[in-house]
Amino acid sequence: MATVIFAMMMSSLVTIYSTIHRHMFQKYRENILKSDLAMAMKAIQSRLMMATRVDTPNFGGSSNVLAFTSNVDAQSGCSPINSAVANVWHYICTSACPSPYTGETCLYYHMGTVSRNTGGCPCSATDPDRWTGSYPVPNCGRSSGGDTVTLLARFIRPPKSPPYPSRYFNRTSAWGVREVDQVRVTLRARKVFMSGREVDVTLDTIIHTQTTPP
């Protein structure tokens, strides 16, 4: 009889332990997803705040691509504005995730150095070092696009519209962007775990750049 009772107790303990373990692992994966998205937003914000020129989306438009430069004049394309600071292009886009996340969408960040204008500022339209806004990213997420390529976040989904804009990057007055130095960034990640539980996270903010009106 004692053996039967002991066996029943052990079975109950195993069930309880399994449930707790599954719940903790589920919570861990949820936190990873939310942390990834928050870190992606923080990375975009920290770089976009230094932007002196935003090429995509244009002011009044929206896009799933964000392309901007730092230390490059917004109107003339002259670079560098400040010889003591690096002049860099930035390109953020979405593409298919690599294995083992096949079938999911990932957010990538491409970065490279803009050719320095040796003639000084302002530069002429014929200056070979004049930045024209051509971003060397033939394929989003591939290593050939820029000096570095970073995977920012996985399980990316289009934002829910409404209440959010339908695209990730927005510069339209309809969505609260009324100044040329503003960019609204809306990132969403969604994942359905093996347990059937869904995690759906959206981060949305308006970021001020260093661009100036023409």
Side-chain angles (χ1 to χ4, degrees):
M1 188 66 179
T3 304
V4 174
I5 295 174
F6 179 77
M8 292 175 62
M9 291 177 60
M10 289 301 298
S11 178
S12 298
L13 289 173
V14 168
T15 301
I16 293 170
Y17 174 80
S18 177
T19 301
I20 294 174
H21 183 267
R22 186 167 60 251
H23 176 76
M24 291 179 63
F25 190 57
Q26 174 84 354
K27 197 66 180 177
Y28 169 77
R29 289 184 293 189
E30 291 176 14
N31 290 339
I32 288 294
L33 181 65
K34 293 176 181 177
S35 178
D36 282 353
L37 197 65
M39 290 180 66
M41 179 64 86
K42 186 176 181 179
I44 293 172
Q45 184 173 20
S46 64
R47 288 155 179 79
L48 193 53
M49 288 174 63
M50 302 302 294
T52 55
R53 171 172 170 164
V54 179
D55 291 301
T56 305
N58 63 300
F59 184 56
S62 60
S63 177
N64 285 331
V65 169
L66 178 63
F68 60 97
T69 57
S70 54
N71 206 25
V72 175
D73 186 80
Q75 281 74 53
S76 69
C78 177
S79 68
I81 299 172
N82 181 354
S83 59
V85 180
N87 45 323
V88 179
W89 60 262
H90 312 262
Y91 191 90
I92 298 169
C93 53
T94 57
S95 184
C97 292
S99 177
Y101 306 105
T102 305
E104 299 289 348
T105 300
C106 284
L107 184 70
Y108 288 96
Y109 167 53
H110 295 250
M111 182 273 288
T113 304
V114 176
S115 298
R116 298 182 70 86
N117 173 20
T118 57
C121 293
C123 54
S124 67
T126 58
D127 194 318
D129 290 326
R130 180 176 180 272
W131 177 252
T132 59
S134 177
Y135 292 79
V137 184
N139 294 292
C140 182
R142 301 291 177 87
S143 59
S144 58
D147 298 337
T148 61
V149 182
T150 305
L151 173 59
L152 290 179
R154 301 161 293 175
F155 311 113
I156 295 297
R157 296 287 191 278
K160 293 180 180 178
S161 182
Y164 302 106
S166 60
R167 297 193 175 185
Y168 308 118
F169 310 110
N170 200 288
R171 299 179 73 196
T172 67
S173 59
W175 290 105
V177 178
R178 297 179 174 84
E179 303 295 335
V180 71
D181 69 322
Q182 298 176 330
V183 179
R184 182 169 180 172
V185 180
T186 308
L187 300 182
R188 178 187 173 212
R190 176 181 177 272
K191 172 67 175 174
V192 179
F193 295 99
M194 294 178 63
S195 63
R197 186 171 180 179
E198 174 189 271
V199 178
D200 197 328
V201 186
T202 298
L203 299 180
D204 178 62
T205 187
I206 293 179
I207 300 170
H208 289 263
T209 69
Q210 296 185 22
T211 57
T212 56

